[in-house]
Amino acid sequence: MDSDASSVSSNSEPEHELSVFERIREHLDSFSYSDVAYEVKRETKLTRALDNLACSPFVSFKSPVETVTCKLLVKGEDAGTWMNPDVSVLQKHATPSPFGRGAETVLDPTYRNGTELKAYQLAFSLQGEGTQYRQFVSEVEDKLQTTMFVGRNVSLKLYKLAIYGEGGHFDWHRDSTHSDAHHGTVLVALNTEWERGELMLRHQGVATIVNMHPTKHSEELQPVVVAFYTDTEHKVMPVTKGTRLVLQYDVELAEQVSRSWIQLPSYTPMQQAFLRHQYVASHINTYPNLDQKLVQAVIDEIRELHNEGITVVAFPLPHLYRKASVKKKYLKGTDSALFDALENHFNVVLHPVLIRANEDGDHSDCVERFFAHKYQPSEENEEEPSSSRAKRQWGRVFKNASFYLPRACAILQLSLPNGAHFGNDADVSGEARYYGAGMFVEPKREE
Ligand SMILES: O=C(O)CCC(=O)C(=O)O
Ligand SMILES: [Fe+2]
């Protein structure tokens, strides 16, 4: 296999988007914006294609659920707890791990050296602490629904416990799938002592190394959860000391799309989206997805909309930028790849955008209508005093043009009207305002 995959270290820390926004906010406030709006559409084929593109091919995070006292049983025998497992009991029942080579299932310690226990041999105590285990599983499911499988219904199924003693390792491979619904793997290590045995992941030219040791957080040990698509290549480096015990789960997707953005019924959809993005940005390590098939799906959906008569198809960039950086040459990662791909087929223009929410009815019924406005450079609209902005006649929208708002995009971070970081000029009472940038995509004009 090639060895030139770019390595993304999990401790490289690009500037947080909110701090970028803090730097550019004043500048943005000096802009005015167009009166006529783009109607915002959500939950369409295009927003889903954009969400698929924004999905991270692998993620890692610390589980916030305390699993310390969760009991483990092997074939009915007590095998300690999650945080203090009885390695010898687990080893006693384990069998050597085979792997698939071509059509065969083989044992070859030079490629894979480890043992395992199957899910049916394991149980987590259901007496009291069992609920903690259930809570852990649903936490992980929630996180995957907001990062790797945006908007999908996800469920976790225990597959096995992998045991790697000294010298244990598993060379590069992709996991075999166990059903049509199986699209991801989740790994979480129990609390034992071991050295090396890092997990390496590689997908579409993006690679990373994950340290799976549970980590201390205010005196409590928290397990590290790693998840990746089933077609992600991965490898376990040789363990040099101790024993590494790793639970492996299958991630299964249900047919239907999940309805709620996150399960917070008292929040409006925009608030839920804001919280989702804020949580993901601060707690979960995610990685860009560079899959060309996902870009093609976005192209196809845009073409379809153009054919249906929507001549301007717009949507937010997943990242935030300085106003002056809303330019092709400054686009980051997947934004840049998407722009280049779209430009081959369409006329694409980048523009800073403001999203405005009109709340019809109270928060509890979650009815929000959104409108997207283009910012105008201040020179073009210098005259507008803030008093006249307050008197705007809202409601005029462009014909044959729509702004498609996916679930996963940074523009929503700037959504809440009263957030200290997001305080906008308070001239539009009762309305939330947002800042960010959009791509406006039109059919290529014939020369
Ligand atoms: O133990 C691990 O971290 C991963 C094991 C693995 O990749 C497998 O068993 O398929
Ligand atoms: Fe694997």
Side-chain angles (χ1 to χ4, degrees):
M1 282 282 167
D2 63 328
S3 57
D4 61 354
S6 66
S7 183
V8 179
S9 142
S10 20
N11 55 16
S12 74
E13 281 189 26
E15 184 179 3
H16 194 285
E17 281 161 349
L18 283 180
S19 93
V20 174
F21 178 68
E22 274 296 282
R23 288 195 282 109
I24 66 170
R25 184 163 65 92
E26 255 178 47
H27 195 45
L28 282 173
D29 276 345
S30 71
F31 287 81
S32 60
Y33 44 90
S34 58
D35 223 348
V36 188
Y38 292 82
E39 194 180 335
V40 167
K41 301 240 164 96
R42 297 184 299 154
E43 303 303 329
T44 68
K45 281 198 204 158
L46 177 58
T47 62
R48 280 192 277 278
L50 290 165
D51 275 333
N52 287 339
L53 189 60
C55 285
S56 180
F58 30 83
V59 300
S60 65
F61 53 90
K62 285 180 221 150
S63 165
V65 179
E66 283 175 31
T67 41
V68 189
T69 53
C70 189
K71 282 201 182 114
L72 194 56
L73 299 169
V74 184
K75 291 182 159 176
E77 189 174 342
D78 185 347
T81 62
W82 186 300
M83 280 298 152
N84 190 16
D86 189 331
V87 176
S88 59
V89 171
L90 292 163
Q91 273 169 335
K92 185 173 81 186
H93 293 286
T95 52
S97 299
F99 62 96
R101 182 179 279 159
E104 285 179 90
T105 300
V106 296
L107 282 170
D108 176 356
T110 64
Y111 202 85
R112 178 181 197 177
N113 184 15
T115 59
E116 65 187 41
L117 289 157
K118 290 289 188 190
Y120 69 84
Q121 300 175 297
L122 296 165
F124 295 93
S125 165
L126 293 176
Q127 296 157 358
E129 298 92 1
T131 54
Q132 273 179 352
Y133 178 68
R134 193 50 245 166
Q135 210 186 328
F136 164 79
V137 169
S138 58
E139 267 291 332
V140 175
E141 290 169 346
D142 278 358
K143 299 243 178 348
L144 300 186
Q145 268 168 226
T146 57
T147 51
M148 281 172 63
F149 301 102
V150 173
R152 307 293 299 270
N153 269 325
V154 162
S155 65
L156 242 60
K157 221 177 177 178
L158 182 63
Y159 177 59
K160 69 174 184 195
L161 175 79
I163 305 176
Y164 294 94
E166 216 171 293
H169 69 102
F170 192 178
D171 216 329
W172 287 111
H173 67 283
R174 291 187 173 94
D175 285 345
S176 41
T177 50
H178 306 125
S179 72
D180 290 350
H182 177 199
H183 292 281
T185 295
V186 163
L187 300 175
V188 50
L190 304 185
N191 184 40
T192 56
E193 305 224 329
W194 80 90
E195 287 177 15
R196 297 293 312 271
E198 307 90 337
L199 178 74
M200 295 177 74
L201 298 163
R202 186 162 73 183
H203 186 78
Q204 310 277 354
V206 181
T208 192
I209 296 178
V210 186
N211 173 358
M212 296 183 60
H213 284 92
T215 49
K216 253 206 174 126
H217 178 75
S218 54
E219 294 309 298
E220 296 289 355
L221 270 175
Q222 291 184 326
V224 172
V225 179
V226 184
F228 48 90
Y229 293 152
T230 45
D231 60 348
T232 300
E233 292 172 285
H234 56 286
K235 157 181 191 162
V236 182
M237 301 296 284
V239 172
T240 54
K241 204 170 172 188
T243 307
R244 179 181 180 280
L245 302 175
V246 171
L247 288 169
Q248 179 172 335
Y249 295 82
D250 292 349
V251 181
E252 294 192 342
L253 298 187
E255 281 290 308
Q256 78 272 29
V257 171
S258 86
R259 281 215 230 114
S260 161
W261 293 13
I262 42 178
Q263 309 297 323
L264 295 169
S266 59
Y267 289 88
T268 65
M270 200 51 117
Q271 286 168 322
Q272 292 185 22
F274 165 81
L275 291 172
R276 170 202 172 276
H277 198 103
Q278 202 186 37
Y279 190 82
V280 170
S282 55
H283 288 79
I284 305 182
N285 292 321
T286 60
Y287 303 87
N289 200 332
L290 305 172
D291 191 335
Q292 286 310 305
K293 284 198 299 291
L294 300 175
V295 174
Q296 189 58 45
V298 171
I299 293 170
D300 293 347
E301 288 307 330
I302 293 174
R303 186 161 285 139
E304 185 84 31
L305 289 165
H306 286 161
N307 289 342
E308 286 168 15
I310 314 228
T311 47
V312 183
V313 173
F315 51 85
L317 294 174
H319 295 282
L320 301 173
Y321 294 88
R322 289 165 181 252
K323 163 67 179 68
S325 307
V326 183
K327 289 197 172 78
K328 177 182 172 175
K329 65 179 173 185
Y330 296 128
L331 292 181
K332 312 174 199 179
T334 43
D335 289 359
S336 170
L338 180 60
F339 187 95
D340 289 347
L342 294 182
E343 228 191 4
N344 288 333
H345 302 269
F346 309 107
N347 279 342
V348 191
V349 175
L350 294 168
H351 214 290
V353 164
L354 170 145
I355 299 210
R356 192 170 55 82
N358 262 356
E359 283 157 22
D360 302 338
D362 60 32
H363 279 210
S364 58
D365 60 11
C366 285
V367 178
E368 280 183 315
R369 289 186 66 210
F370 304 108
F371 300 94
H373 299 258
K374 276 184 180 171
Y375 272 101
Q376 256 136 33
S378 39
E379 325 66 268
E380 280 179 26
N381 212 338
E382 266 168 4
E383 302 305 298
E384 190 185 53
S386 60
S387 58
S388 86
R389 281 192 241 164
K391 288 195 223 95
R392 280 171 187 283
Q393 292 295 304
W394 301 117
R396 287 202 297 144
V397 293
F398 285 111
K399 286 211 179 98
N400 308 329
S402 291
F403 193 88
Y404 293 82
L405 190 64
R407 298 182 185 215
C409 64
I411 205 168
L412 302 173
Q413 284 190 30
L414 312 170
S415 61
L416 297 183
N418 302 321
H421 290 87
F422 328 111
N424 310 312
D425 46 335
D427 58 349
V428 195
S429 60
E431 289 179 336
R433 293 181 47 189
Y434 320 94
Y435 300 92
M439 283 199 208
F440 293 76
V441 186
E442 294 182 51
K444 258 200 186 350
R445 276 185 278 280
E446 303 292 330
E447 293 294 306

